[in-house]
Amino acid sequence: MQLAPTHLRDWFLVGLILTIAPLIVVGVSTVKQSQQRRAAAIALTGGDPSKAPAIFTRYGCSGCHTIPGIAGADGKVGPSLAELREKIYLAGSVNNSPENLVQWILSPQHFEPHSAMPVTGINEEEARHLAAYLYDQ
């Protein structure tokens, strides 16, 4: 038995839909997770992640840290800031919480007197934007 050309086309379309549909579902799920992570980062820190790239650049953070999504941020002096939201501790000894992260950015020596991270002059609002960005990644 030979299938008519329209049947072949129909089967091709069914196969194509069955192949593409899971990819669409995964893509939608990924976008939703990203939006939820961003909303949580904003709620937790009171910052705006979209303002952070300019702040990272202005204060030279990329000279010491690798920061995902920031062009040229491949520093090796300080730790990588990738997936910071998943880490238990900041600087190996401070509980990773939004307030601790903001305070660490403002005054690292308050937590770790011998920290190599300098006091940068970043203000609290800017620190909140940086924290929101890091938790959004």
Side-chain angles (χ1 to χ4, degrees):
M1 174 179 164
Q2 206 175 34
L3 293 174
T6 58
H7 289 108
L8 289 175
R9 185 188 70 222
D10 291 347
W11 281 110
F12 173 76
L13 290 174
V14 167
L16 184 62
I17 289 169
L18 291 174
T19 301
I20 293 174
L23 298 175
I24 292 171
V25 170
V26 168
V28 168
S29 176
T30 300
V31 168
K32 188 172 183 170
Q33 286 174 345
S34 178
Q35 291 170 339
Q36 289 172 336
R37 189 173 59 236
R38 185 177 202 91
I42 291 168
L44 288 169
T45 63
D48 180 350
S50 69
K51 294 182 179 181
I55 298 167
F56 282 127
T57 300
R58 184 177 326 123
Y59 289 97
C61 304
S62 61
C64 292
H65 297 283
T66 298
I67 309 167
I70 305 297
D74 57 0
K76 305 291 186 235
V77 177
S80 169
L81 301 179
E83 299 178 346
L84 186 81
R85 72 182 178 286
E86 295 179 10
K87 296 184 178 171
I88 305 299
Y89 296 106
L90 304 170
S93 61
V94 179
N95 287 331
N96 184 358
S97 72
E99 271 315 303
N100 283 348
L101 178 56
V102 169
Q103 292 307 310
W104 174 268
I105 293 168
L106 292 172
S107 182
Q109 284 74 22
H110 171 78
F111 294 100
E112 198 63 46
H114 301 292
S115 174
M117 183 166 160
V119 174
T120 61
I122 293 172
N123 66 43
E124 185 170 342
E125 181 181 7
E126 292 169 322
R128 290 188 179 286
H129 298 321
L130 297 179
Y133 181 91
L134 294 171
Y135 283 142
D136 185 31
Q137 297 303 302

